[in-house]
Amino acid sequence: MTSVFFSKQFFLTTTILFIAATIFSETEEELKKRILSNADLAGQSMEELLASDDETDEKISGKSQKRLPSTFERDVPYTAEEIEFMNLYYNHGISSVGQRKKLYEAAIASAEKFHDKYSRLVHLARTEYYYGVACIENFDLSLFEDLKNVESKSGDSSAAMAGAAFDKAIEYGQAALDIKKGSDAYSIVSHSISANCTAKNWTYILGNALKVRSYAKKAVNLDYSNGTAQFLVVAQDVYAPWPIGKVRSGRRKMLSILKDKYIRVEDQDLHLICAAIGYSYFKQKKWANAIEWYNKALEVYPYNFSSHQMLGTINKRKNKK
């Protein structure tokens, strides 16, 4: 989950899960059991993960404190340097390795603006995450349509750099959680594990994909208004294959996030959600609806690489006879 706004990491996660299933030629029930064997890591039963209405998610969210947008704040606010790095990445504005390095170094240095260790660690984790996704922004998703290319990224230097950055982000996030169980710390660990599924092979995905939702739910428990975490909880429904994915249910929940006055939906969250809704229609071959929602995503970041890439794919498939 990369330009996150197409939610590339989730697309790759689910694609590789499907490919892995093909490789092993498992029965449907065997595949379900193996994919869900990590359910205990998420503190969930198999039945909860497969519940058609995801009542578990609603119950978990219900435990959280709801706060109006005028009063809520992040655990760890963004620094100006982090915002610049983040927005340039999302809007396809990083044009060179040198520029990426400069943005990264400035964001890292801005960690000194925080006076407590928890905040510094969360900030460092977020900076490593954005460095990682910036390394592989231009990754060609079409490679994963061919089985022989599943491991093609393993020798890719960009993927290797991204994976190292995501590993560091997870390490920083976990260190922050050792100090305090904070919503932003859980959220960045969730996001980084998701992104790492882009940079690493399918064995990593099989071992870690379910942790994305687990950490996101913990973030929502602590802060219902965390829009990024709310997205990460639901994204599996949209992007994962059956029996894990539930496209219609996922789309409905994405729309409910947008309508909920108690959820903080920042620009990056809005782009993520719009792109996810677009992808849900893409999976159903409802091309006009998919195009509409990807265009809404581009209203936030007009030059986002992955959204433009998806629009190109949609137009090719729509026009294919």
Side-chain angles (χ1 to χ4, degrees):
M1 43 174 14
T2 153
S3 185
V4 177
F5 294 113
F6 160 48
S7 224
K8 182 178 292 185
Q9 56 263 52
F10 283 101
F11 178 88
L12 295 180
T13 297
T14 56
T15 300
I16 298 176
L17 283 170
F18 174 78
I19 292 171
T22 303
I23 292 172
F24 290 119
S25 299
E26 294 172 312
T27 66
E28 180 181 299
E29 188 62 27
E30 288 170 339
L31 171 62
K32 183 190 300 184
K33 287 181 179 179
R34 181 165 59 80
I35 292 176
L36 297 178
S37 63
N38 288 327
D40 287 342
L41 295 172
Q44 298 170 264
S45 69
M46 186 181 296
E47 290 74 19
E48 287 172 335
L49 281 169
L50 293 177
S52 60
D53 293 325
D54 272 339
E55 295 176 357
T56 306
D57 290 348
E58 294 171 7
K59 290 177 181 177
I60 286 176
S61 297
K63 296 177 185 176
S64 310
Q65 181 182 4
K66 290 190 175 185
R67 298 174 292 169
L68 287 170
S70 60
T71 60
F72 63 54
E73 296 178 353
R74 282 185 165 275
D75 286 349
V76 183
Y78 291 121
T79 65
E81 293 82 0
E82 186 180 8
I83 290 172
E84 181 182 18
F85 192 8
M86 176 176 63
N87 285 337
L88 283 171
Y89 156 68
Y90 286 142
N91 211 27
H92 196 46
I94 302 176
S95 59
S96 68
V97 173
Q99 183 189 15
R100 183 180 69 207
K101 182 179 179 182
K102 184 177 179 180
L103 290 164
Y104 168 77
E105 290 175 346
I108 288 290
S110 69
E112 297 305 317
K113 295 180 179 181
F114 298 104
H115 300 295
D116 64 290
K117 190 174 181 181
Y118 169 82
S119 296
R120 287 196 298 272
L121 286 168
V122 169
H123 172 78
L124 291 172
R126 288 197 303 230
T127 301
E128 293 294 343
Y129 167 80
Y130 285 113
Y131 181 78
V133 291
C135 284
I136 51 177
E137 180 186 21
N138 297 340
F139 186 81
D140 185 0
L141 288 174
S142 66
L143 289 175
F144 283 84
E145 294 179 7
D146 190 336
L147 184 61
K148 68 183 180 182
N149 289 318
V150 173
E151 298 295 339
S152 65
K153 69 181 185 304
S154 60
D156 186 305
S157 60
S158 295
M161 285 191 295
F166 298 141
D167 286 342
K168 287 176 71 175
I170 294 166
E171 182 180 346
Y172 282 135
Q174 292 285 8
L177 288 170
D178 288 341
I179 297 171
K180 183 178 78 172
K181 306 302 183 187
S183 182
D184 277 353
Y186 277 122
S187 184
I188 190 57
V189 172
S190 174
H191 233 163
S192 299
I193 294 172
S194 175
N196 228 352
C197 292
T198 304
K200 300 192 176 180
N201 59 28
W202 61 266
T203 56
Y204 178 89
I205 293 170
L206 289 177
N208 293 277
L210 287 176
K211 296 178 185 177
V212 174
R213 195 170 194 172
S214 169
Y215 280 98
K217 285 184 175 181
K218 291 174 182 177
V220 171
N221 270 347
L222 292 166
D223 179 8
Y224 182 86
S225 67
N226 188 330
T228 303
Q230 292 275 7
F231 165 80
L232 289 165
V233 168
V234 180
Q236 178 178 279
D237 293 341
V238 173
Y239 289 100
W242 191 90
I244 307 299
K246 296 178 279 290
V247 175
R248 292 182 181 83
S249 172
R251 182 166 62 233
R252 184 177 69 249
K253 291 174 187 176
M254 289 290 180
L255 288 167
S256 72
I257 293 173
L258 293 179
K259 296 175 182 177
D260 193 329
K261 67 180 181 179
Y262 292 102
I263 297 176
R264 177 185 62 243
V265 178
E266 298 169 318
D267 283 351
Q268 64 271 27
D269 304 321
L270 178 58
H271 197 146
L272 270 169
I273 293 166
C274 289
I277 294 170
Y279 187 72
S280 73
Y281 283 118
F282 170 79
K283 288 179 78 171
Q284 295 177 316
K285 299 183 180 181
K286 295 182 178 180
W287 309 127
N289 298 106
I291 290 171
E292 176 187 358
W293 280 94
Y294 274 110
N295 281 328
K296 286 184 179 183
L298 288 171
E299 289 176 10
V300 186
Y301 292 105
Y303 302 105
N304 181 264
F305 180 84
S306 289
S307 290
H308 279 291
Q309 183 187 59
M310 276 303 298
L311 283 171
T313 300
I314 291 167
N315 282 317
K316 285 180 182 178
R317 297 195 182 185
K318 180 182 70 171
N319 297 325
K320 188 175 180 180
K321 295 181 180 179

